[in-house]
Amino acid sequence: MSGSSIGKIFKVTTFGESHGAAVGVIVDGVTPGVELCENDVQKELDRRKPGQSSVTTQRKESDTVHFLSGVFEGKTTGTPLAMIIYNADQRSKDYDNIKDLFRPGHADYTYLHKYGIRDYRGSGRASGRETAGRVAAGAVASKILAAKGINITAYTLQIGKIRCKQYKPECIDQNIVRACDPDAAPAMIKLIEQRAAENNSTGGIVECRINGVPAGTGEPVFDKLDAELAKAIVSLGGVKGIEFGAGFAAVEMSGSEHNDEMTPDGFASNNAGGIIGGISTGNEIILRAAIKPTSSISRKQQTVNIANAPVVCETHGRHDPCLCPRIVPVVEAMCAITVLDMLKQQAAMLA
Amino acid sequence: MSGSSIGKIFKVTTFGESHGAAVGVIVDGVTPGVELCENDVQKELDRRKPGQSSVTTQRKESDTVHFLSGVFEGKTTGTPLAMIIYNADQRSKDYDNIKDLFRPGHADYTYLHKYGIRDYRGSGRASGRETAGRVAAGAVASKILAAKGINITAYTLQIGKIRCKQYKPECIDQNIVRACDPDAAPAMIKLIEQRAAENNSTGGIVECRINGVPAGTGEPVFDKLDAELAKAIVSLGGVKGIEFGAGFAAVEMSGSEHNDEMTPDGFASNNAGGIIGGISTGNEIILRAAIKPTSSISRKQQTVNIANAPVVCETHGRHDPCLCPRIVPVVEAMCAITVLDMLKQQAAMLA
Amino acid sequence: MSGSSIGKIFKVTTFGESHGAAVGVIVDGVTPGVELCENDVQKELDRRKPGQSSVTTQRKESDTVHFLSGVFEGKTTGTPLAMIIYNADQRSKDYDNIKDLFRPGHADYTYLHKYGIRDYRGSGRASGRETAGRVAAGAVASKILAAKGINITAYTLQIGKIRCKQYKPECIDQNIVRACDPDAAPAMIKLIEQRAAENNSTGGIVECRINGVPAGTGEPVFDKLDAELAKAIVSLGGVKGIEFGAGFAAVEMSGSEHNDEMTPDGFASNNAGGIIGGISTGNEIILRAAIKPTSSISRKQQTVNIANAPVVCETHGRHDPCLCPRIVPVVEAMCAITVLDMLKQQAAMLA
Amino acid sequence: MSGSSIGKIFKVTTFGESHGAAVGVIVDGVTPGVELCENDVQKELDRRKPGQSSVTTQRKESDTVHFLSGVFEGKTTGTPLAMIIYNADQRSKDYDNIKDLFRPGHADYTYLHKYGIRDYRGSGRASGRETAGRVAAGAVASKILAAKGINITAYTLQIGKIRCKQYKPECIDQNIVRACDPDAAPAMIKLIEQRAAENNSTGGIVECRINGVPAGTGEPVFDKLDAELAKAIVSLGGVKGIEFGAGFAAVEMSGSEHNDEMTPDGFASNNAGGIIGGISTGNEIILRAAIKPTSSISRKQQTVNIANAPVVCETHGRHDPCLCPRIVPVVEAMCAITVLDMLKQQAAMLA
């Protein structure tokens, strides 16, 4: 109900603030008997953690995961899998300069209006740090999906106006911006570095491909597979839009262009993006998320304080000049959680 | 669970197939004591019903709503409000020509893979006719919201490449395409008629503005207000994408351009689209949905039958050459259901 | 959320007031491809309907069910199954005598405090008539369960102080009180008739046995199989208590008496009632519900009106002098809904 | 879904095995701005912890709670409150003697059939230790309820055949069996000690009274207040039955005896136990839970091993000879969680 859980059967609940004792996640509904160790999760957390490269924040957190329950003798037991990441880098920053004002682009203002109280340290619960729990849960889901032949690959498709022109999945983790086109990556990196030097930030697009989902997965009507994926992806802090298959390009197409004709060998095209009527076609599922430029920038900005008086906000810190490289594993995690949950719903329906 | 319900407190469950006895909806969690009559609902159904104008399907259904429960002496009682629309125009079409093949762009193939059985008459449950129940529920939500000063207005923003250049809300229901720009409407209508004449269809964009939502509405993390709206809107059959505020345009912006600065008089801009960190800012909430061209076109298309043999699909019927005009009230309905539910969640959290 | 739905996958939503247009139910999550006709449901409704015998109310309602959706060519499609029962016997009783007062034992007072408004005609939503929808949904669940070898049998175990001494399932539907002991039935009937003659009513116990549930069914911790059954049964209007296996008798037992020892042929006893740790043992599941004496009695009773002034309440009508005979099929229905839902949850967990 | 969460708005998720790293709980939906410190929770955990007195297990665990999130500067923030209790007394017992057999009365057999794998150390997830998380969540709920004038008091009503004859709430925590009748406590204690000396155990009844719940609280139909309380209480490991108000005694009553007449000063009696039609009357809510004798007894018992061969089970350990004294705070916790959640649902419905 209260926002911190997702999934109906493979059920993920995160907790934790950026500068509290820990962040973490409880995953209930894990398939029992799956071999799982902390390293299966750690390797995904390492793709999300800060301080990885010159295009991410220079803040350092080891983001070491600990299992508290749900695994016995190296296998999942089907009981809740609790995973915790203690907050190591709680440097005693002085947050006094932001505690009484609302940073533009941040959730400071909205949290205070919702709750009447807020933990202002490092954005508190609204910090991107919350996604560490999502990545941990997603790593578990991905491992279960992989055994079913389902693979999920996200990557940076575009930074600013620079867009990938080819899809080379093997190159994604070989460039620090996680672009699918090695030829586009250098320009993307250069743009990010330029924006960083200007104390500014840039937006981008992350694309995700899901292969191996059997045709017939997804619920109709409200809980359509694409509707659930849309919710899962838009629930990420920096996402301002999502599209499937042809997406917004479908607006200018005619029906005869957009409809995917079928042949005995399968669909002749994939404008649908692998989902029709909310249910998978068996084709590759493809979606794109619009990522806004990072709100945290080291520039003077006009804002107000909690007394609604005008003030200049100027924060200095170690921010990501572009969210894309680090959001890539988070997008994969949200897709994995969603797809596994819908596969389990399908099994339930048929039982 | 099984897809046909949405909302946690204001809970909407639809039922019915296109050519069954009836379609309808149960709304549980209705605020008690609200004056409500069938006409409150009928007037919204009339905006969605087929046969309204030259740019919609010529099929005629009166779509008359009947209340079965939940209203007593003209007021809601807080118990489930059941509303039913009997299917009048069940003309004894011969569906034999489509029962064994999969129409391109339709959910025929995916439903059969999911359920192993399908009601092939007029797309069955996957028909756009299911949305009549949504509109009925939305009409109830809208009435409750209006009493709180919250108003929701959707309209056609774009058809094919033709985009509105001005926002004149008073004109929306004065042109048959429901465009917000009366100057753009004639060209839009002409484009739709041209596509119809070619036995083809066109896509478009529907935009929606929600005003009056108090700052602080929405749950954080997974059930963000924008995430729930994304799910609600993408759950509509023809929607291939959604964006909020600056949306995909944010990709090419810098942080200093995108961040909405604040002044004592409010936000200086609204790139966020009225939602930050998943919680409303108090600003206008603005979203856009990409609508695909109608899948039903009276053209020969290549497909396969249930034996996976190649066949030519050629259907003739009375289809909408563009979904936008009739999806406008459905988008409003989904927004109303979502916003009211989140307002109720907020009240619960604070209680 | 709002009370009118139960089940997570096999999801049942009822609607309707006693004297509104209709009562009914939507069942979402029905296994597709199951042969189902209205008569499968009608025969269970006939066991619940009023006017069956001299020990039930003499009010007559045919309680004829109509399918509105979810069945195609004699089989379930997996889409919502809507079932409706129009209210035939809306005799134009004058309810003016009760509209402004609170009948003792009835939900008049509590509904008004909850909602601020109530449909006072025949108890409105709080009427036992709401259970017709439950029985309809349960009939569907029972049919699906029967194909899995799972059978559910409820019966009257006790009326007043008269308790069955033997279990003869074949006799249950052969006596009008639905007792499992044909020797006890005549005394039970006599007691009920005596109470009726006194314008009074009597309580009783309904017992239910569920056979064939495979070991390992049920969720641990909060959603234990017995916890879900307890909720389902206590959600029936007249139920004041529930116990499993040895139940309240376990209070006076020692551990060595109560523990069910195991042998290679199975459990040596069944004090657990077929559920340990919230999960089925494979043994017969056995539960008992305490049924209060009917609140509707044609006697003068002291109460207050809505102005909190003392008044004498005297209602005359055609009431059940004992709820047990007609609640038997409702108890079976609730057990069937619950067990089927938990089987589906188990399939999901393992998927 | 998967069993480890309860509550729709005040949502409680527990995790942890008896001999894993920790047990704990996430509470989402906490009212923000409530003063809360670890000691508020610790004092309730101390009432549940082992080793308190001569009638509980002599096993010692300090059960020290740590807050990980959701509290800032001494107040709740409305974000998930994560509370963790590290398992201190993981003595390197040899569990080899039970890992391959099924202890009578325990969930060993059912867990293995459900999951195909089980953590056999100290009953794993099925251990009563899981309830520490419930008590922690309940302490938070109780504090919020107390501020609304709602108080919950549970106590031992009966041990074996010895039943309290008076209700003296001030005496409950002054005797080690937590009886409400100081005159009955010595005989209860003597009975427990006698059973312990015989390597046996005894059952009992825990009664709970909830005062101050405003009339009109609770959802009708399936989510009735008593139905939700029944689920919450039966979800406790040792509970075999529950009753409200007159409970099973209503079976032998007539309607004129059972109906609670009303006067301008309130209800003249409380056979309903404070709930009619699933909604609170404003009267004291009263319920009783039947507690089975502890399954863990140091006696030879017949059972089978995982190969279904007969074996003698003989465990020695430090067990509670009666569950009642320690289950009292757990019953209070479950009632507090349930009542607070329903109050929040009521606020949502009216919003």
Side-chain angles (χ1 to χ4, degrees), chain B residues 1-5 7-11 13-17 20-23 26 28-30 32-33 67-73 75-82 84 86 99 111 114-121 125, chain C residues 1-5 7-11 13-17 20-23 26 28-30 32-33 67-73 75-82 84 86 99 111 114-121 125:
Chain B
M1 162 64 49
S2 304
S4 295
S5 297
K8 288 174 180 157
I9 295 167
F10 186 82
K11 195 170 181 173
T13 302
T14 70
F15 66 89
E17 277 81 40
V23 295
I26 312 298
D28 201 7
V30 178
F67 288 176
L68 296 178
S69 62
V71 173
F72 181 59
E73 298 181 341
K75 288 187 181 171
T76 58
T77 59
T79 60
L81 172 58
I84 194 166
Y86 293 99
K99 66 180 276 200
Y111 264 63
K114 178 174 180 63
Y115 293 114
I117 183 175
R118 74 185 170 101
D119 179 349
Y120 49 76
R121 301 167 303 163
R125 180 77 177 141
Chain C
M1 161 62 50
S2 306
S4 294
S5 297
K8 286 174 181 160
I9 297 168
F10 186 83
K11 195 168 181 175
T13 302
T14 70
F15 66 88
E17 277 80 41
V23 294
I26 312 298
D28 201 7
V30 178
F67 288 177
L68 296 179
S69 63
V71 173
F72 180 58
E73 297 180 344
K75 287 186 180 171
T76 58
T77 58
T79 59
L81 173 58
I84 193 167
Y86 294 99
K99 66 179 278 201
Y111 263 64
K114 178 174 180 61
Y115 294 113
I117 182 176
R118 74 186 172 100
D119 178 349
Y120 49 76
R121 300 168 302 162
R125 180 76 178 141

Side-chain angles (χ1 to χ4, degrees), chain C residues 166-310:
Chain C
Q166 50 186 343
Y167 176 58
K168 295 199 168 177
E170 67 280 10
C171 297
I172 295 166
D173 273 325
Q174 292 173 0
N175 65 80
I176 57 175
V177 75
R178 292 204 169 91
C180 62
D181 178 354
D183 297 342
M188 288 173 165
I189 294 166
K190 189 174 166 191
L191 174 60
I192 295 173
E193 291 173 342
Q194 183 184 329
R195 290 281 170 92
E198 298 162 1
N199 290 328
N200 215 333
S201 61
T202 180
I205 295 177
V206 169
E207 188 169 73
C208 186
R209 297 174 188 236
I210 311 171
N211 278 281
V213 179
T217 306
E219 296 297 313
V221 190
F222 298 114
D223 298 348
K224 287 183 162 78
L225 178 53
D226 40 357
E228 295 287 6
L229 286 166
K231 175 179 168 175
I233 299 301
V234 176
S235 80
L236 295 172
V239 174
K240 297 307 291 179
I242 187 167
E243 60 178 15
F244 297 85
F248 275 85
V251 168
E252 303 189 7
M253 294 167 80
S254 68
S256 61
E257 289 171 308
H258 186 270
N259 281 349
D260 299 312
E261 291 188 309
M262 299 185 74
T263 76
D265 299 325
F267 289 89
S269 54
N270 189 15
N271 286 311
I275 302 171
I276 300 183
I279 302 170
S280 62
T281 64
N283 230 334
E284 184 176 69
I285 295 169
I286 187 158
L287 61 86
R288 281 172 296 281
I291 313 293
K292 74 175 185 181
T294 321
S295 298
S296 294
I297 53 176
S298 300
R299 287 191 169 204
K300 291 184 183 176
Q301 296 176 92
Q302 185 60 46
T303 191
V304 294
N305 62 20
I306 56 175
N308 202 34

Side-chain angles (χ1 to χ4, degrees), chain D residues 250-270:
Chain D
V251 168
E252 303 188 8
M253 294 168 81
S254 68
S256 61
E257 290 170 309
H258 186 270
N259 282 348
D260 299 314
E261 292 188 309
M262 298 184 75
T263 75
D265 298 326
F267 289 90
S269 54
N270 190 13

Side-chain angles (χ1 to χ4, degrees), chain B residues 79-120:
Chain B
T79 60
L81 172 58
M83 297 184 278
I84 194 166
I85 298 154
Y86 293 99
N87 288 331
D89 184 15
Q90 300 177 51
R91 69 158 68 177
S92 60
K93 269 188 202 171
D94 188 0
Y95 285 97
D96 281 354
N97 63 326
I98 63 159
K99 66 180 276 200
D100 291 330
L101 59 78
F102 305 120
R103 291 168 297 158
H106 282 275
D108 302 344
Y109 179 81
T110 56
Y111 264 63
L112 190 63
H113 274 76
K114 178 174 180 63
Y115 293 114
I117 183 175
R118 74 185 170 101
D119 179 349
Y120 49 76

Side-chain angles (χ1 to χ4, degrees), chain A residues 45-325:
Chain A
L45 284 170
D46 288 347
R47 296 176 73 218
R48 194 213 72 93
K49 75 177 177 186
Q52 293 174 54
S53 76
S54 65
V55 294
T56 66
T57 170
Q58 295 309 301
R59 193 161 27 89
K60 295 281 185 190
E61 295 250 13
S62 68
D63 280 1
T64 305
V65 71
H66 301 277
F67 288 178
L68 295 178
S69 62
V71 173
F72 180 57
E73 297 180 344
K75 289 186 179 171
T76 59
T77 58
T79 58
L81 172 58
M83 297 183 278
I84 193 167
I85 297 154
Y86 293 100
N87 288 330
D89 185 15
Q90 300 177 50
R91 70 159 66 178
S92 59
K93 270 188 202 171
D94 187 1
Y95 285 98
D96 281 354
N97 63 325
I98 64 160
K99 67 180 277 199
D100 292 331
L101 59 80
F102 306 120
R103 290 169 298 159
H106 282 275
D108 302 343
Y109 180 80
T110 56
Y111 263 63
L112 189 63
H113 274 77
K114 178 173 179 63
Y115 294 112
I117 182 176
R118 72 185 171 103
D119 179 348
Y120 49 77
R121 300 167 305 164
S123 295
R125 181 75 178 144
S127 166
R129 188 155 179 73
E130 178 271 335
T131 62
R134 304 184 187 217
V135 168
V140 178
S142 288
K143 184 153 193 192
I144 297 170
L145 290 173
K148 297 174 188 287
I150 298 171
N151 293 290
I152 298 171
T153 305
Y155 44 87
T156 297
L157 179 71
Q158 185 172 335
I159 299 290
K161 293 179 191 297
I162 306 164
R163 192 172 178 118
C164 291
K165 293 194 165 52
Q166 52 184 344
Y167 176 57
K168 295 200 168 175
E170 68 279 11
C171 299
I172 294 166
D173 273 325
Q174 291 173 2
N175 65 80
I176 56 175
V177 76
R178 291 204 170 90
C180 62
D181 178 354
D183 297 341
M188 288 173 166
I189 293 166
K190 190 176 164 190
L191 174 59
I192 297 174
E193 289 173 343
Q194 182 185 331
R195 290 280 170 92
E198 297 163 0
N199 290 327
N200 215 334
S201 62
T202 180
I205 294 177
V206 168
E207 188 170 73
C208 186
R209 298 174 187 236
I210 310 172
N211 279 279
V213 178
T217 305
E219 297 296 313
V221 192
F222 298 114
D223 298 348
K224 287 183 163 78
L225 179 53
D226 40 358
E228 295 288 6
L229 286 167
K231 174 178 168 175
I233 299 301
V234 176
S235 79
L236 295 173
V239 174
K240 296 308 291 180
I242 187 169
E243 60 179 14
F244 296 85
F248 275 85
V251 167
E252 302 188 8
M253 294 168 81
S254 70
S256 61
E257 290 170 307
H258 186 270
N259 282 349
D260 299 313
E261 290 188 309
M262 298 184 75
T263 76
D265 298 326
F267 289 90
S269 54
N270 190 15
N271 286 311
I275 302 172
I276 300 183
I279 303 171
S280 62
T281 63
N283 231 332
E284 183 176 69
I285 295 168
I286 188 159
L287 62 85
R288 281 172 296 283
I291 313 294
K292 74 174 184 182
T294 321
S295 298
S296 295
I297 52 175
S298 300
R299 286 191 170 206
K300 290 184 184 177
Q301 296 177 92
Q302 185 60 45
T303 191
V304 295
N305 62 19
I306 56 176
N308 202 34
V311 289
V312 172
C313 170
E314 185 172 5
T315 60
H316 293 286
R318 296 155 301 164
H319 311 303
D320 287 284
C322 177
L323 297 173
C324 293

